[in-house]
Amino acid sequence: MLVSTFVAILHVWAPDSLERIERMALNSRFLLRGTETPSGDVVVVGYDEASNKALGRWPISRRLIAQAIDLVAADGAKTIAMDYLFIEPERDLPQDVRTRLSDLAKSLPADSPGANQATSLLASDSADQALAQAMKRAGNVLLPFSYSPDSGSNETPNWIVPWHYVRTKPACDATNTIQFSDKMQSPLPSLAAAAVLGGNVNVDNDIDGSPRSEYLATYFDDDCFPSLTVAAVAHFLGVDWQQVRIDLGAAVSLGPDRLIEMDPGNSVVVNYFGGESAFKTVSFSALLSGTVDPATFKNKLVLFGTNYQGGSDFVRSPFDNELPGVVRNAVMAERLIHGGNLFRPDWSAAVSLVAVFLLGGMSAYMARRLPTGFGVAGNAGLVLGWSVATYLALFPGGIWINWLYPVLSVVLNAGVQRTIRNVSDERERRRAEQSLRESEERYALAARGANDGLWDWDLINNKLFTSARWQQMLGLRASRLSGQPGDWFDRVHRDDIDIMRAAIDAHLKGSSTHFEQEMRMRHAEGNDRWMAIRGMAVRDATGRPTRFAGSMTDITARKKAEQDLLFNAFHSHLTKLPNRTLLVERTEQALQLWAKDSTSDVVVAILDIDRFGHYNETLGQKVGDDILITLARNLEERIRPEDTLAHLGEDEYAITRFIAGNVEEGVEELIVMLKTVLGQHMEIGGRPIEIEASIGYVLASQSAGAAGDELMRDANLALYRAKAQGRGQVVRFEPSMHQSAMKRFGLEADMKRAITAGDQFELFYQPIIALDDGHLHGFEALIRWRHPERGLISPVDFIPLAEDTDMIIDIGRKSIMDAARQIAAWMPAEGDPPQIAVNVSGKQFAAVGLVDDIERAIKVAGIPPHALKLEITESLIMDNPERTNEVLRRIIALGCKVSIDDFGTGYSSLSHLHRFPFHTLKVDRSFVMRINDSREGLEIVRVISSLAHILERDVVAEGVETEEQATELRRLGIQFGQGYMFAKPLPAGEASVFLARNRAKFQR
C-alpha cells in the first residue's frame, strides 16, 4: 500500500522524467498501430526543396502565392487555408527576384500559364495587393494568426474580431481557456479583409518537445479563438461560423451531427496517420508550372505551407523527428472532418490512479505469496494486460489513459515485496540453520536415549555418514560400508524405493518442509525390517540444498501391531475366522463371478447352535468358547479352499460358496457337509458334547436382493424360520419370507404413524350379560385399528407386533383413557354407569406408570373408579408374583376392579390364587365351546365356578354362542356371559344403542 501511495503521489506530481517516459510509451503505441491512410479530402501544397531551387528565394513571394491561389481556386478547391503568417507588408521585388522571374518567363512556353503568371508578377506594383485580390477572387481563403510574447497587438484588431467563437458556454475567460501570450500577431488588414475566416497556428510543445496537443480554443482579449484547422474544417463542411458552438472543456459542435470532444484544457491529441508521406503533397513549383492534375484540388481542403528544410516550421511526431507543420495541420483537419481524434478526459486520471492501487496490490500479493516463477509470470501478465487495455482505449477508443504509473506501481511493488521476501527468506534460512544445529544437538542426545540411528548426507560431495546405532539396527559393520548413498538406497525394499526417491526429490526441491517416510529395509540376516526415516535439508543463501540429515527408527513391532489390528478388524477374535464384514465383501466377489444362469450360483448358509446358552449356563463360559473354537476348526477342515467360512458372533457361523455345475447337487453337498460336521463327536475338557444347529440358506438366484448384505439378510430370514420350526431344522429362503418381513416392517411404520396421529385406534365394546335375567352387566373394551388405506385391521394381525415393539404400551394407555371417557359418556342421570373392562398386556403391566395412567384417566374423565375394570391374563400373574401382587393392590386401592382373563389356560397354582387381589374370573372360550360336547370341558367349568364361589368372586364365561351353552352355564352357577349369542364387539355408537335398549327393557 505504501509503494502504491508513493506511485500515486508521483502520478499527481508528474515529474518531467517520468512524463517523458509516458510520452515515449504513447509514441510506441502509435508505432505499434502503424500507418493509416487518410481519406484524401485534405491536400498539402508545400514549398519544398524543388520549389526553393526553382524559385530561388525564401520567404516565398506573395505574388507567387496569389498566383497559386488563383490556380487552386480555378481547379475547384473547396477551402484554401494558408499556413503562412502575413504580419508585415512585402517590399517591392528586389532586382535579383525580377531577374529570376524574367528568366522563368523566357524558359517556359510563350502561352503557358506559368509564363503568363511570371509576366503578370513582373508587371504588378504590389505583392500584398496582388495576394488580397487573389484571395477575394477565390472567396474561400483562410489566414492564420499567432500569439507572440515579443511583438504584436495587446488588443484584438478589428479585422480579427469576426474570427472568434460567437457561441461559447460558459463565457470565455482566462480561467478555463489557455492563453499563449498577451500579444497577437495578426495578418495585414487588407489581407484579413480578403479572408473568409482565420484561426491561430500556435502549438504548445509537450515535455519531450513534441506538439502533441491541438488547442481548439485559445483566449485573447476576452475572446476565444479557434485554431486554423477548426476554422478551415467548419468552412469546408459548409457550417455557418456564427452557428458554431463551443462548450469549453467539453466539445466543439460543427453542426447537429458533428461533435468534437476535447479534454478540460480545450485540446485534443493529434492522431497522426504516419510520417510526412502519409499525406498527398503537391510541390509549390509544380503547381506554378502547371504540371499538377487539375482534379487534384477539386472539392478539397487545400493547405499551403512549407516543407522546405531551410524553413523553421517543423515539429516532432511519433513517426518523424521533423514533420512539416503544414502536414500536422493537415492531420488535424482530416481527423476533424472524419473523426478519430484522441483526448484525455477528466476521469482518465482517476482510472489510472485506481489501476495504481489495484494492480500494485495484486503485484505485491503475487510477489510475496507465489513462487518466484509464478510471481514473475503473474506480474508480467499484469503489465501486459494493462498495456493491452490502454492500447485498446487509445485505438480505437480514442482515450489516452496513462500507461506508465500503473506499470511503475506493478514493478515497484513486485521489487519491494520480492526484496522483503528475500530478506525474510534469508532470515528464515539462517534461523532454520541455527534451529537445525540446535535441533541436531538435541536430537543426537534424544536419539541416543531413544535408541535411534542418525544419518547425514553431504549433497555437495555425495557422502553418507551413518551412526553406529544406524548400522547396528541393520546388522551392518562400518568396515563394509562405502560411505555412499548406496549404503542406504541399496537396502530399501524394491516396492518402496521409488516412493522414497520421489519424497526425497520433493523435499530437496522445497515442496515439503520435512522428509518423513516409512519403508522396509533389508537386515544383514536377510529379513526385512520396517524403518521410519525422518530428515531435513540444509540450504545455502541461494536456497540450494547442501546437506540432508535425519534419523532412523525401527518400527517393525508397531507395524506388526497394525497388521494385527487390521486382521482383528475383519476376523473373529475368538475363532480367527472372517467376520461379517469380510464375509459380505467375499460374497460380493463371488457374486461378480456368477454368470447369473442355471449352470452356476452363489449360496450363503447361516447356522445357529440350538440352545447354546444352555451350555454356557451349565458348563461355563470357557466350555462354551471351546465348543465354538472346536466347531470352527471342524468346519475349516471340510470347506473348499475357495469357500469363505465366517464367525458372525456368539453361536452363529456362515459360509459362502460359489457353485459351478449342478446347483442343487452343490447345495445338497454343502448341507450334508454341515450336518456331518455338526454330528461329529466333540470332547471338551474330557466331557463328551453333542450339538445341534438350525440352518438357513439362500441362493443368489432366489434372493430378494442382489448384494452381499442382502443375501445375508435373506439367509437370516430362512434361519429364523428354521428355528421357529424346532431344533436341527434346515430351511431354504423363499421370496415370501422377505415379503412377510417387508409387510411386518410396513405395518410397524404404519403403527408408529397411527400412534402419532392418535385417531386410528378405537375401542369396540362387547356386552357382558347376566345369565339369569339378561340385563346388561357391562362391556369388555376390545382394541381395533381402523387403517386409512387397509380398513379395519384385526387385533390378531397387529397386537403381536405391538407387543414385540413395545408400542402396545402407548396403545394400552390410550385404551384406558378412551374407556374412561366412554364410561363418562354413558353415565346415567341416576345410578351407576355400566362397567367397562380393559385388557392390560404383559408389557404394559411390566412398564412403569400403569397405575399413574389409570389414576389420570379416572380424574380426567370424572368417573367412579369401580366402573373401570382391568383384565390381566392368568399367565401374566405367575410371571412375577410378588410384583403382580403389589401392582394389583395399588389398582384396587384406586377403587378399580380386577379380572383374571383366560382362566384355566395358564399354569397358576390354585393354592396360590387366593393370595392375589381380584374380583372376577373369566372362563376361557376354549372350555365354553366344549361344555356340551365334552365331559372334560364341563367338569373344568364346574371346578372354576366352584372355586370362584368359594373365593366369593364373580365368574364371566367367554365365547357363549348358543342357548344350550347359556343354559348349562346357568345350571353351573355362572353369573355372566359374553359372546356372539348376545352381541359381537360393537363400535361406540352401536354399543350406545344396545345400552339404551337394555336399560329401557328393564326399566319397564
Side-chain angles (χ1 to χ4, degrees):
M1 180 63 74
L2 290 176
V3 174
S4 298
T5 303
F6 171 71
V7 175
I9 293 172
L10 289 178
H11 192 335
V12 176
W13 179 26
D16 292 351
S17 56
L18 294 180
E19 290 300 310
R20 287 191 179 91
I21 297 174
E22 171 61 24
R23 272 51 175 188
M24 292 170 60
L26 179 64
N27 289 343
S28 67
R29 280 174 270 178
F30 273 98
L31 296 175
L32 181 63
R33 185 207 65 189
T35 302
E36 294 181 341
T37 303
S39 67
D41 285 339
V42 180
V43 179
V44 174
V45 177
Y47 187 85
D48 53 7
E49 298 289 343
S51 301
N52 188 58
K53 184 175 181 181
L55 300 177
R57 65 166 288 181
W58 177 258
I60 186 172
S61 171
R62 294 177 188 173
R63 294 180 185 276
L64 295 179
I65 295 174
Q67 181 182 349
I69 289 173
D70 286 337
L71 290 173
V72 171
D75 288 342
K78 192 172 183 180
T79 301
I80 301 171
M82 310 301 295
D83 194 12
Y84 300 127
L85 288 172
F86 303 114
I87 58 178
E88 298 287 344
E90 184 175 303
R91 302 181 184 278
D92 292 338
L93 294 175
Q95 185 58 44
D96 59 337
V97 174
R98 290 180 175 275
T99 301
R100 288 180 180 274
L101 285 174
S102 178
D103 293 341
L104 178 63
K106 291 176 181 179
S107 65
L108 297 174
D111 295 329
S112 67
N116 293 334
Q117 288 293 332
T119 304
S120 175
L121 285 171
L122 289 168
S124 175
D125 291 334
S126 171
D128 292 335
Q129 183 180 1
L131 178 57
Q133 290 173 353
M135 291 170 61
K136 290 179 180 178
R137 286 193 297 272
N140 60 357
V141 179
L142 289 86
L143 292 181
F145 66 87
S146 70
Y147 304 110
S148 171
D150 302 322
S151 62
S153 172
N154 292 323
E155 298 180 351
T156 304
N158 293 333
W159 53 89
I160 297 298
V161 170
W163 296 356
H164 78 282
Y165 284 110
V166 178
R167 305 176 65 191
T168 63
K169 179 185 178 182
C172 185
D173 59 49
T175 60
N176 55 17
T177 312
I178 187 171
Q179 181 177 3
F180 278 102
S181 176
D182 56 0
K183 294 182 179 180
M184 175 187 288
Q185 293 180 333
S186 62
L188 297 174
S190 60
L191 297 179
V196 295
L197 201 58
N200 91 83
V201 289
N202 289 77
V203 295
D204 186 21
N205 286 337
D206 209 340
I207 196 167
D208 60 349
S210 174
R212 194 164 277 105
S213 299
E214 175 83 354
Y215 289 91
L216 305 189
T218 54
Y219 173 80
F220 189 82
D221 194 18
D222 294 333
D223 284 319
C224 282
F225 289 91
S227 65
L228 178 64
T229 53
V230 172
V233 169
H235 183 272
F236 178 78
L237 296 175
V239 178
D240 182 0
W241 183 249
Q242 301 298 315
Q243 300 303 315
V244 173
R245 174 188 176 90
I246 181 168
D247 290 336
L248 295 172
V252 175
S253 176
L254 298 179
D257 58 350
R258 192 174 300 275
L259 193 68
I260 304 169
E261 291 185 280
M262 54 188 180
D263 63 25
N266 302 300
S267 66
V268 295
V269 178
V270 182
N271 188 1
Y272 292 98
F273 287 93
E276 180 179 357
S277 60
F279 265 88
K280 183 177 182 61
T281 304
V282 176
S283 173
F284 192 89
S285 61
L287 174 62
L288 293 180
S289 66
T291 59
V292 179
D293 184 359
T296 301
F297 304 109
K298 187 171 181 61
N299 294 324
K300 306 295 184 184
L301 191 161
V302 181
L303 277 166
F304 280 83
T306 179
N307 50 1
Y308 165 52
Q309 289 297 323
S312 59
D313 190 15
F314 287 89
V315 297
R316 293 175 60 184
S317 79
F319 300 95
D320 291 292
N321 282 330
E322 290 187 346
L323 180 73
V326 67
V327 175
R328 177 185 180 280
N329 287 333
V331 170
M332 276 305 308
E334 176 75 25
R335 293 299 189 186
L336 291 173
I337 294 171
H338 295 288
N341 286 300
L342 311 176
F343 71 107
R344 301 180 76 176
D346 268 346
W347 51 262
S348 65
V351 170
S352 58
L353 278 173
V354 170
V356 164
F357 286 100
L358 180 62
L359 299 184
M362 295 172 67
S363 170
Y365 175 82
M366 290 188 289
R368 190 68 181 268
R369 300 296 183 185
L370 300 182
T372 302
F374 289 105
V376 171
N379 281 291
L382 292 179
V383 172
L384 178 61
W386 181 247
S387 299
V388 170
T390 54
Y391 176 85
L392 293 176
L394 192 65
F395 306 118
I399 306 298
W400 176 12
I401 298 176
N402 192 290
W403 170 86
L404 173 64
Y405 293 101
V407 171
L408 183 62
S409 180
V410 170
V411 173
L412 290 181
N413 271 289
V416 169
Q417 291 301 324
R418 188 61 206 176
T419 300
I420 293 173
R421 180 175 177 177
N422 289 340
V423 171
S424 176
D425 289 349
E426 177 62 18
R427 289 177 179 173
E428 184 63 28
R429 186 190 65 80
R430 292 180 180 179
R431 281 196 297 267
E433 286 184 351
Q434 179 64 27
S435 176
L436 180 59
R437 284 192 292 269
E438 295 173 356
S439 177
E440 286 175 342
E441 294 173 359
R442 288 194 300 269
Y443 197 79
L445 292 172
R448 285 196 291 271
N451 218 18
D452 284 353
L454 301 180
W455 52 270
D456 190 347
W457 183 3
D458 182 352
L459 299 174
I460 303 300
N461 301 307
N462 200 32
K463 295 291 185 180
L464 178 68
F465 162 79
T466 57
S467 69
R469 177 55 185 157
W470 190 96
Q471 299 159 15
Q472 182 185 4
M473 292 166 71
L474 296 173
L476 302 175
R477 293 182 180 178
S479 59
R480 295 188 178 183
L481 297 178
S482 64
Q484 301 291 321
D487 294 340
W488 173 8
F489 289 8
D490 293 346
R491 310 199 74 82
V492 177
H493 194 282
R494 64 177 179 273
D495 293 339
D496 301 334
I497 185 66
D498 291 338
I499 298 174
M500 185 198 76
R501 287 184 181 275
I504 290 175
D505 290 343
H507 176 64
L508 295 181
K509 290 178 181 177
S511 300
S512 62
T513 57
H514 293 80
F515 167 78
E516 186 168 351
Q517 199 74 19
E518 294 180 355
M519 65 196 73
R520 287 160 290 181
M521 296 184 68
R522 189 176 66 257
H523 193 272
E525 296 176 355
N527 60 327
D528 287 335
R529 298 291 183 90
W530 275 98
M531 301 293 177
I533 312 289
R534 302 176 185 85
M536 177 185 290
V538 178
R539 304 176 187 275
D540 61 16
T542 64
R544 184 183 65 165
T546 59
R547 289 177 57 202
F548 186 30
S551 67
M552 181 172 74
T553 307
D554 191 329
I555 58 170
T556 306
R558 194 198 80 194
K559 280 291 184 180
K560 184 179 184 306
E562 290 176 355
Q563 292 171 356
D564 291 344
L565 285 174
L566 182 63
F567 178 86
N568 292 334
F570 293 97
H571 293 79
S572 165
H573 177 71
L574 178 65
T575 63
K576 309 304 180 186
L577 293 177
N579 61 13
R580 182 181 297 273
T581 302
L582 186 55
L583 178 67
V584 171
E585 182 180 328
R586 298 274 180 84
T587 304
E588 291 283 359
Q589 295 171 0
L591 289 172
Q592 292 176 3
L593 297 174
W594 178 39
K596 297 185 180 180
D597 56 24
S598 60
T599 63
S600 64
D601 215 326
V602 177
V603 60
V604 176
I606 300 178
L607 66 88
D608 183 273
I609 300 174
D610 293 327
R611 300 182 67 242
F612 179 73
H614 171 72
Y615 298 111
N616 280 334
E617 293 169 0
T618 57
L619 302 178
Q621 183 76 37
K622 175 66 169 57
V623 174
D625 290 347
D626 290 342
I627 292 173
L628 295 175
I629 295 171
T630 302
L631 179 58
R633 301 292 84 81
N634 292 343
L635 289 169
E636 278 184 315
E637 292 175 359
R638 300 295 299 270
I639 64 173
R640 298 175 180 175
E642 65 271 17
D643 292 343
T644 297
L645 174 65
H647 183 199
L648 303 184
E650 191 59 23
D651 56 345
E652 278 193 356
Y653 295 83
I655 184 170
T656 294
R657 173 175 288 183
F658 179 81
I659 301 176
N662 190 313
V663 175
E664 290 301 327
E665 288 184 1
V667 171
E668 182 65 24
E669 177 187 338
L670 174 62
I671 299 303
V672 169
M673 183 272 289
L674 292 175
K675 285 188 172 183
T676 301
V677 172
L678 290 169
Q680 283 182 303
H681 173 73
M682 282 188 189
E683 187 169 320
I684 307 296
R687 182 184 292 108
I689 301 292
E690 293 184 2
I691 61 173
E692 288 183 301
S694 301
I695 301 174
Y697 69 94
V698 63
L699 292 171
S701 59
Q702 299 173 358
S703 173
D709 58 343
E710 292 174 326
L711 263 67
M712 293 286 293
R713 175 202 64 201
D714 293 345
N716 264 313
L717 290 174
L719 176 64
Y720 298 154
R721 181 68 59 86
K723 293 187 79 66
Q725 293 177 2
R727 290 185 291 179
Q729 299 299 309
V730 179
V731 173
R732 177 187 289 198
F733 171 79
E734 296 176 357
S736 60
M737 297 178 185
H738 181 255
Q739 294 169 3
S740 297
M742 291 303 295
K743 180 180 178 182
R744 179 183 174 91
F745 179 78
L747 192 65
E748 181 180 345
D750 289 348
M751 188 179 295
K752 290 179 180 177
R753 286 191 287 270
I755 291 173
T756 302
D759 59 352
Q760 295 184 24
F761 291 102
E762 61 179 283
L763 294 178
F764 277 42
Y765 301 91
Q766 189 170 31
I768 299 174
I769 304 297
L771 295 177
D772 56 354
D773 60 2
H775 78 269
L776 179 67
H777 176 67
F779 294 92
E780 180 180 0
L782 301 170
I783 191 69
R784 296 292 186 268
W785 181 6
R786 197 175 296 279
H787 194 281
E789 297 176 358
R790 298 170 57 181
L792 205 61
I793 300 178
S794 170
V796 176
D797 293 330
F798 73 85
I799 290 297
L801 176 61
E803 289 274 3
D804 290 345
T805 59
D806 290 345
M807 286 188 277
I808 192 67
I809 297 173
D810 292 324
I811 295 173
R813 182 182 297 115
K814 182 178 185 303
S815 297
I816 292 172
M817 180 61 73
D818 289 351
R821 286 172 173 161
Q822 190 61 57
I823 292 172
W826 285 339
M827 287 275 289
E830 296 180 0
D832 292 332
Q835 192 177 72
I836 294 181
V838 181
N839 290 282
V840 178
S841 72
K843 288 286 183 69
Q844 186 181 7
F845 192 84
V848 176
L850 172 63
V851 178
D852 294 336
D853 292 339
I854 297 171
E855 185 176 10
R856 186 182 304 109
I858 293 171
K859 290 181 178 179
V860 170
I863 61 172
H866 66 268
L868 181 64
K869 179 181 285 187
L870 286 306
E871 290 191 0
I872 59 175
T873 63
E874 179 187 2
S875 58
L876 187 152
I877 291 177
M878 300 309 299
D879 282 346
N880 190 342
E882 289 75 14
R883 185 178 184 281
T884 301
N885 190 35
E886 178 190 352
V887 174
L888 292 180
R889 293 188 182 282
R890 290 178 61 193
I891 292 174
I892 292 175
L894 293 175
C896 298
K897 303 296 184 181
V898 174
S899 175
I900 298 179
D901 199 8
D902 300 336
F903 189 76
T905 62
Y907 302 95
S908 63
S909 171
L910 295 180
S911 62
H912 293 137
L913 187 63
H914 71 280
R915 295 170 50 197
F916 299 105
F918 66 94
H919 301 89
T920 304
L921 284 177
K922 296 192 74 172
V923 182
D924 187 71
R925 69 179 61 250
S926 62
F927 303 130
V928 175
M929 291 172 61
R930 293 179 293 163
I931 195 170
N932 296 121
D933 303 326
S934 166
R935 179 175 179 79
E936 178 184 357
L938 176 64
E939 293 303 323
I940 290 175
V941 174
R942 187 193 306 276
V943 170
I944 294 174
S945 176
S946 299
L947 177 64
H949 287 304
I950 294 171
L951 297 175
E952 298 181 351
R953 304 292 194 267
D954 298 336
V955 182
V956 177
E958 294 181 305
V960 181
E961 297 183 355
T962 66
E963 182 61 40
E964 290 78 6
Q965 292 172 346
T967 300
E968 189 64 37
L969 290 170
R970 278 194 299 271
R971 190 181 67 80
L972 294 174
I974 305 296
Q975 297 101 317
F976 305 105
Q978 73 178 90
Y980 275 42
M981 173 184 169
F982 306 112
K984 64 181 181 179
L986 304 172
E990 295 180 21
S992 298
V993 173
F994 187 94
L995 172 63
R997 289 176 178 173
N998 191 270
R999 281 175 174 173
K1001 176 181 176 181
F1002 285 96
Q1003 284 176 356
R1004 292 196 300 268

